Amino acid sequence: MFNRKQFLLLLIVLITTVVVAQEREQDTLNPDVINVIKPYTPTISDAFKVKETPVLDVEETTTKKEIKYNILSFPVASTFTPAKGKAAVVDKAKKVKLFDNYATLGVGTYTTIVGEVYLNHELSSGENISAHLGHHSSGGGIEGVLLDDDFMDSKFDLDYSKRESDYDWNIGGGFQLQAFNWYGLPQPLFSQATADAIGDVGHNFTNAHLSGDLNVNDSFFKSANLLFRRFGDNQGSGENRFTAKSTFDIPVQEELVSVVLNLDYLGGSFDRSYLAETALNYGNFQLGISPTYELKQEDLTVDLGVTATYLNDTETGKNKFFIYPNISASYRLLDDLAIAFGGIKGGLIQNTYFDFAQENPFVSPTLNISPTDQQFDAYVGLKGKLSNVVSYAIKGSYGSEKNKPLFVNNPITETEQAYTYGNSFGVVYDDVTTLGLSGEIGVDVNRNFTMTLKGAYYHYDTKFESEDWNLPDVTASLFLDYQLFEQWYTGVNVFFAGERKDQFTIINPSFPTAYTTYAATLESYFDANAHVGYHVNDRLSVFVKGNNLVGETYAKWQNTPVQGIQFLAGGTYKFDF
């Protein structure tokens, strides 16, 4: 064994010898150029996997030892006697028999008749044809009214639908006949003698329409809707409207943009204006496009869009182009407990004689018809579910509208026309901004008990008119349905509207510029309705309804009181062919 000094000395000698040898080899290298005649082509020899089977060098093997068990049994005293098992019985709900057709008939006070028939027949799998006939009329008899106040509303609709694996479509048509009276004669300004001299104050509406819908699955083209409506009255008025709407998706850089195309044509005429025997013609053509891009990220959903609309006034020949925002968003703050939402939207609203007459049947056939420019409607709110059966929603909004229609009581001119005695309504337009706050609470307990409570407050600011005519500042409603027992059911509907403002004007026909206008306030009203029904069997049920149970003969429109407390009884029969 070398000691440490001897080992270090030997290591130094070896290193010195190697360095000197390398220097000598470098001195003796031949500096000539080496010519490579053939490039080097390396090859890899085949690899062979060694296959070996291990051999166990075990001379002894173990054997299992046999084990024997001895069980010592002895009796045990027990007084327990097990009962025989029995399968639990599950209560099965009685299968409800569904019928394709039904007929309803009811009669009540004020000589009221209500009837409805619905028929549906399956021609083949996914192919149906249906028909609906409805009627509602009353003989009138409102206390204190000097003119006829009866009304009638009858309609018939026919529909054909077809469902395929990739699409479904339907086509339908219908006809409606409505009859009302301008019975709102101001009192005590006019007496029964004046009412008798006026004579017939009936105003009838006719409505015929054709429509079609197409929905496509798994395609860039999603849907299409068509509608043609002919609306008129017994005063020589007529209106045609045609609308077409289609929706489709356009791929843009691996994203889809939803696009809606709208076409809206309106044309109509009145035989005269309110103060002159000059015909009123109106009409316009609208073409709009609304692209929208939906952005989703976890709990956030945002729809970014814009609406562009081209308007052509067919009477004046004027053209105009409008651009509106179309943005909405929602964010889940606490799952379904709290969902925040908001947005800002706008659009060009098509006003029609048909829509005005459905909202206020006492309009005169002398209206100025033009569209409303809804510049924007901004809103923000919160909605969600407090439990599995209780939901809520609150919303605040602020909007601006140009050329917004407002109903006003027509001036008293006492001409030969039956609607010139302050008993009809016209339309004025104004620029209006609206601040609103609304709320809603819904309850749904296994569909045996449902309730919806709504309330809203509005503040209007008009630009030209002195008041926001016939717009209530407060509205509220309650809808409640309850299945008392298997055969008994009931429901309650309640409506409330706050005060409204209207005007009362007297004009001298010989001097139309000389007139006197008074402001009028319509009191708030409360309308409560209820019904009770009993299912006699799967096919037949009977019911009793009560309307305006408070008995208040309030006036929704100036000088036109409604019927007081009303009762109606009837039955419904369901059947199949």
Side-chain angles (χ1 to χ4, degrees):
M1 299 293 292
F2 294 103
N3 56 30
R4 183 177 297 178
K5 293 182 179 180
Q6 291 175 341
F7 177 76
L8 292 175
L9 179 61
L10 179 60
L11 181 60
I12 294 172
V13 171
L14 289 176
I15 294 174
T16 305
T17 305
V18 173
V19 171
V20 171
Q22 289 181 349
E23 291 178 353
R24 289 181 179 179
E25 287 178 359
Q26 292 177 358
D27 295 338
T28 58
L29 287 178
N30 191 351
D32 295 341
V33 177
I34 299 175
N35 294 325
V36 178
I37 300 174
K38 179 180 178 182
Y40 175 65
T41 56
T43 60
I44 300 175
S45 61
D46 295 335
F48 297 94
K49 185 177 182 181
V50 178
K51 298 181 179 179
E52 292 184 356
T53 302
V55 178
L56 298 177
D57 187 10
V58 179
E59 296 180 356
E60 297 181 359
T61 57
T62 60
T63 58
K64 294 182 178 180
K65 185 177 180 180
E66 183 180 358
I67 301 176
K68 294 182 180 181
Y69 297 92
N70 294 324
I71 299 176
L72 180 62
S73 60
F74 58 91
V76 176
S78 175
T79 58
F80 174 73
T81 303
K84 294 182 179 181
K86 186 178 180 181
V89 178
V90 179
D91 295 333
K92 294 182 179 179
K94 184 179 179 181
K95 187 176 181 180
V96 179
K97 171 65 175 176
L98 300 178
F99 297 90
D100 292 333
N101 316 280
Y102 71 87
T104 298
L105 179 64
V107 294
T109 55
Y110 292 93
T111 320
T112 300
I113 300 176
V114 175
E116 187 176 5
V117 176
Y118 177 79
L119 305 175
N120 180 68
H121 180 64
E122 186 178 25
L123 300 176
S124 62
S125 178
E127 185 179 16
N128 291 74
I129 185 170
S130 61
H132 177 258
L133 176 65
H135 174 82
H136 183 198
S137 64
S138 174
I142 301 175
E143 185 178 357
V145 172
L146 304 180
L147 297 168
D148 294 336
D149 59 317
D150 58 291
F151 70 87
M152 184 267 293
D153 186 356
S154 298
K155 58 184 177 181
F156 174 75
D157 294 291
L158 188 65
D159 184 84
Y160 171 82
S161 62
K162 178 72 173 178
R163 294 191 307 272
E164 299 288 352
S165 59
D166 297 330
Y167 64 92
D168 63 84
W169 63 278
N170 75 285
I171 185 172
F175 180 79
Q176 183 179 26
L177 176 63
Q178 298 173 299
F180 300 95
N181 289 279
W182 291 298
Y183 65 84
L185 202 62
Q187 298 182 47
L189 184 62
F190 296 107
S191 63
Q192 185 63 54
T194 304
D196 295 338
I198 295 174
D200 184 19
V201 289
H203 192 195
N204 302 336
F205 301 112
T206 56
N207 168 30
H209 66 274
L210 292 172
S211 63
D213 299 283
L214 172 65
N215 299 296
V216 183
N217 302 323
D218 300 327
S219 173
F220 78 95
F221 180 81
K222 295 301 181 181
S223 63
N225 312 95
L226 299 174
L227 170 68
F228 173 76
R229 184 189 306 278
R230 170 65 182 181
F231 184 72
D233 62 15
N234 61 341
Q235 303 293 320
S237 310
E239 179 182 82
N240 296 318
R241 188 182 186 188
F242 175 78
T243 63
K245 178 181 178 181
S246 62
T247 304
F248 52 91
D249 293 336
I250 298 179
V252 178
Q253 294 182 352
E254 299 182 355
E255 299 289 344
L256 290 178
V257 177
S258 177
V259 179
V260 179
L261 290 178
N262 283 292
L263 184 151
D264 196 337
Y265 167 79
L266 180 69
S269 64
F270 297 103
D271 277 356
R272 55 167 296 157
S273 65
Y274 192 80
L275 297 176
E277 296 184 1
T278 304
L280 289 176
N281 299 318
Y282 60 93
N284 65 72
F285 172 81
Q286 298 182 17
L287 182 62
I289 181 171
S290 301
T292 303
Y293 172 70
E294 184 180 66
L295 175 64
K296 286 188 176 182
Q297 186 175 2
E298 296 181 353
D299 295 330
L300 176 65
T301 301
V302 179
D303 290 331
L304 301 174
V306 65
T307 299
T309 303
Y310 167 77
L311 172 66
N312 173 256
D313 191 318
T314 57
E315 293 298 320
T316 63
K318 295 182 179 180
N319 303 318
K320 199 169 183 180
F321 190 75
F322 301 87
I323 297 180
Y324 302 100
N326 186 19
I327 302 172
S328 63
S330 65
Y331 181 74
R332 292 182 178 272
L333 298 174
L334 297 172
D335 293 331
D336 291 337
L337 180 62
I339 302 175
F341 64 93
I344 178 170
K345 298 185 177 182
L348 193 62
I349 302 174
Q350 184 76 282
N351 296 314
T352 67
Y353 183 33
F354 169 78
D355 293 331
F356 288 148
Q358 299 307 302
E359 184 176 357
N360 184 350
F362 308 110
V363 293
S364 62
T366 59
L367 305 179
N368 293 315
I369 308 292
S370 62
T372 296
D373 176 15
Q374 186 184 48
Q375 295 179 311
F376 67 89
D377 179 21
Y379 60 92
V380 63
L382 188 69
K383 63 181 179 179
K385 285 189 173 182
L386 300 177
S387 67
N388 292 332
V389 298
V390 180
S391 61
Y392 72 95
I394 55 175
K395 184 178 75 169
S397 63
Y398 180 75
S400 175
E401 296 173 284
K402 284 190 174 183
N403 211 44
K404 180 181 177 64
L406 304 172
F407 290 107
V408 293
N409 189 233
N410 278 327
I412 299 174
T413 59
E414 299 185 52
T415 65
E416 60 182 9
Q417 306 299 326
Y419 50 80
T420 60
Y421 292 81
N423 54 343
S424 66
F425 292 82
V427 174
V428 296
Y429 294 87
D430 198 359
D431 298 343
V432 181
T433 57
T434 305
L435 177 65
L437 179 63
S438 61
E440 176 181 344
I441 295 179
V443 178
D444 189 345
V445 183
N446 297 328
R447 297 185 178 180
N448 290 328
F449 178 85
T450 60
M451 183 191 71
T452 302
L453 176 63
K454 297 181 180 180
Y457 168 78
Y458 300 101
H459 175 74
Y460 303 98
D461 186 11
T462 57
K463 185 176 182 179
F464 304 107
E465 298 294 327
S466 59
E467 296 286 350
D468 49 342
W469 307 118
N470 283 292
L471 294 178
D473 54 354
V474 177
T475 61
S477 63
L478 171 66
F479 298 90
L480 186 150
D481 289 290
Y482 181 47
Q483 186 74 32
L484 294 172
F485 306 103
E486 182 178 357
Q487 293 175 301
W488 287 93
Y489 62 93
T490 185
V492 174
N493 302 327
V494 178
F495 303 93
F496 173 81
E499 291 184 349
R500 289 92 62 217
K501 297 291 184 178
D502 204 343
Q503 60 185 13
F504 179 74
T505 305
I506 300 177
I507 295 180
N508 187 342
S510 302
F511 303 96
T513 57
Y515 60 89
T516 303
T517 300
Y518 304 93
T521 300
L522 280 71
E523 295 182 355
S524 59
Y525 65 85
F526 180 82
D527 193 337
N529 312 286
H531 67 272
V532 177
Y534 177 77
H535 296 291
V536 179
N537 51 47
D538 290 341
R539 294 178 179 269
L540 180 64
S541 62
V542 294
F543 59 84
V544 175
K545 294 183 178 181
N547 296 329
N548 196 11
L549 296 178
V550 180
E552 181 184 6
T553 56
Y554 63 86
K556 182 178 180 180
W557 306 103
Q558 187 178 187
N559 303 322
T560 57
V562 301
Q563 296 177 350
I565 187 170
Q566 311 150 45
F567 293 101
L568 183 140
T572 299
Y573 182 75
K574 295 176 284 188
F575 58 95
D576 287 330
F577 289 118

